[in-house]
Amino acid sequence: SQQGEEDPQALSIQEGENATMNCSYKTSINNLQWYRQNSGRGLVHLILIRSNEREKHSGRLRVTLDTSKKSSSLLITASRAADTASYFCAMIYGGATNKLIFGTGTLLAVQP
Amino acid sequence: EADIYQTPRYLVIGTGKKITLECSQTMGHDKMYWYQQDPGMELHLIHYSYGVNSTEKGDLSSESTVSRIRTEHFPLTLESARPSHTSQYLCASSPYQGASYEQYFGPGTRLTVT
């Protein structure tokens, strides 16, 4: 399976702390995306990092990509209770398709 | 906020019934997708379409079928629902052909088959 693995599976932190989630994948990718899902609803795209990029920022989000280790991390700084959600990495592999392969997800709980 | 809609949001139905889950988007996207997701688990692609009259099966085998007669509409049908079909079904769309851009998701339909 080409599916990505995420860790930790679940993470509980206090408001104001930073949260780091990791994603590992199996074969070469075109790009890697991170999505957020609030309590069983649809997913919302957060950030995309291309295979030739190493780091990307968007507001309080920082994503890194290490293609040699086939891994990515998502850092949320100064977390808020509203950040409580499941976070999924999703990979697009080679070829002309736009099919996403999702990771197993990290459930983040931010305590007020 | 993405302009992609799914109805119904929740459906509880008995075994053997035929059901259709609706998905519509007003963004003019060519690519549309159906995913299946069990609670707390990853998403699995079950169907996708690159445009009108184009449908393909995804990575997870599914007894459901789809159609794409209009760009904005991508319904999913189960001819005879079974308890094993109980899951959340998420529809998504994407704007660019052959490019690796983000997908926009609907709110999902939570299906329970009793």
Side-chain angles (χ1 to χ4, degrees):
Chain A
S1 166
Q2 293 178 312
Q3 196 157 26
E5 297 285 333
E6 290 184 59
D7 74 271
Q9 288 185 316
L11 178 62
S12 181
I13 59 174
Q14 296 295 124
E15 220 168 15
E17 294 179 339
N18 296 342
T20 300
M21 289 156 267
N22 303 295
C23 170
S24 60
Y25 56 91
K26 300 209 175 145
T27 60
S28 296
I29 58 172
N30 285 347
N31 67 58
L32 187 144
Q33 304 177 28
W34 285 89
Y35 287 80
R36 184 187 73 227
Q37 184 179 35
N38 288 92
S39 189
R41 296 182 63 89
L43 278 72
V44 175
H45 180 264
L46 295 176
I47 195 166
L48 180 153
I49 187 165
R50 300 188 189 283
S51 59
N52 61 355
E53 296 176 312
R54 291 297 168 259
E55 188 170 311
K56 203 159 183 182
H57 297 253
S58 176
R60 294 184 295 113
L61 305 180
R62 191 190 93 170
V63 169
T64 61
L65 179 64
D66 187 337
T67 52
S68 66
K69 295 181 179 177
K70 293 187 173 56
S71 68
S72 175
S73 67
L74 171 67
L75 168 68
I76 304 174
T77 61
S79 64
R80 305 166 181 167
D83 295 328
T84 294
S86 291
Y87 291 82
F88 292 90
C89 62
M91 287 68 67
I92 289 187
Y93 293 93
T97 67
N98 199 20
K99 293 194 292 180
L100 287 174
I101 307 296
F102 281 86
T104 49
T106 293
L107 177 59
L108 173 66
V110 182
Q111 311 296 333
Chain B
E1 201 70 25
D3 295 321
I4 181 164
Y5 310 98
Q6 290 186 245
T7 57
R9 292 294 314 280
Y10 302 93
L11 179 62
V12 181
I13 201 162
T15 297
K17 301 290 187 183
K18 177 180 178 178
I19 60 170
T20 296
L21 307 185
E22 301 288 350
C23 176
S24 295
Q25 50 96 4
T26 58
M27 298 173 282
H29 290 172
D30 287 326
K31 295 185 174 183
M32 295 189 74
Y33 311 84
W34 276 103
Y35 294 90
Q36 186 173 341
Q37 182 186 32
D38 291 327
M41 303 294 286
E42 64 268 37
L43 283 74
H44 293 283
L45 181 68
I46 52 174
H47 297 283
Y48 61 99
S49 167
Y50 287 162
V52 171
N53 294 325
S54 153
T55 61
E56 301 284 346
K57 290 192 177 295
D59 302 318
L60 180 69
S61 175
S62 173
E63 293 167 345
S64 58
T65 59
V66 292
S67 62
R68 189 88 184 274
I69 298 172
R70 303 196 316 266
T71 298
E72 62 271 21
H73 195 213
F74 191 40
L76 181 146
T77 298
L78 275 166
E79 289 294 331
S80 180
R82 296 207 299 268
S84 61
H85 297 139
T86 294
S87 190
Q88 173 153 273
Y89 292 84
L90 292 162
C91 181
S93 69
S94 183
Y96 295 105
Q97 181 73 23
S100 303
Y101 286 88
E102 66 186 271
Q103 292 185 11
Y104 296 81
F105 282 80
T109 293
R110 189 169 296 279
L111 172 66
T112 301
V113 183
T114 60

